[in-house]
Amino acid sequence: MERFAIEVVETAHALRRDFDRRAAVLGSTRAQWRVLAKLSRRDGQKQVELAEALDVEPITLSRMVDRLAEAGYVERRQDEADRRVWRIHLTQRALPVLEELDALSDVFHADLLAGVSSEDRAVASRVLARVRDNLNAIQTRVSAQ
């Protein structure tokens, strides 16, 4: 089990590479898909909130939003209560792209979980959730010191 973290990291890298390869066929990237997916769940987020939710620096998100805006998939709108704040909104043009990416994601997940029983999937989910909880507890203890 001393290689557990390495196995998780290597698996995550393989997942990202494969999804990137598939998304490229649609002319998209995983990073762009993540932005669109987050907005599809909660449109109109503040740019800084969206960066935090995606765990990227605000300047990195700004560049991603620039590219998505140039493609016509998102638009920035000033916050009505605070004109210094920008909110990011999906456009109608993004909806078919989101549908294609969702379909791609469904096939991707079916492919990567082929041959994995529902019981094994449940165990893997529980183990990963426990690992995240442990990491959050460690972070809380460290922050409190």
Side-chain angles (χ1 to χ4, degrees):
M1 288 313 289
E2 51 277 347
R3 288 190 44 87
F4 180 79
I6 293 170
E7 293 294 335
V8 170
V9 169
E10 288 177 356
T11 302
H13 285 296
L15 289 168
R16 283 194 295 272
R17 276 192 310 271
D18 191 71
F19 192 88
D20 284 346
R21 180 184 56 77
R22 294 171 190 234
V25 171
L26 298 177
S28 184
T29 67
R30 179 178 27 88
Q32 291 170 333
W33 179 79
R34 289 182 65 218
V35 172
L36 295 174
K38 286 280 185 195
L39 290 172
S40 73
R41 289 190 286 279
R42 198 179 107 218
D43 194 35
Q45 293 182 57
K46 293 178 184 177
Q47 190 162 312
V48 69
E49 292 171 339
L50 186 55
E52 188 174 301
L54 293 168
D55 196 25
V56 298
E57 293 296 320
I59 189 68
T60 301
L61 176 68
S62 182
R63 290 184 194 116
M64 286 190 279
V65 170
D66 287 345
R67 286 189 294 277
L68 290 168
E70 286 171 12
Y73 299 141
V74 300
E75 62 184 15
R76 290 180 175 96
R77 297 183 203 154
Q78 284 188 316
D79 185 278
E80 293 178 10
D82 186 347
R83 294 229 172 248
R84 297 170 297 174
V85 173
W86 291 96
R87 292 190 175 270
I88 312 302
H89 294 269
L90 290 172
T91 65
Q92 288 297 312
R93 186 172 182 183
L95 301 181
V97 172
L98 274 165
E99 288 177 11
E100 288 179 334
L101 288 167
D102 285 343
L104 180 144
S105 180
D106 291 344
V107 171
F108 172 72
H109 283 97
D111 288 348
L112 72 96
L113 293 170
V116 180
S117 71
S118 59
E119 294 83 12
D120 285 347
R121 292 177 191 192
V123 169
S125 290
R126 284 195 307 274
V127 168
L128 292 172
R130 169 42 83 192
V131 169
R132 284 190 305 274
D133 290 345
N134 290 346
L135 289 169
N136 287 333
I138 291 166
Q139 183 61 42
T140 300
R141 283 196 310 267
V142 169
S143 296
Q145 294 177 353

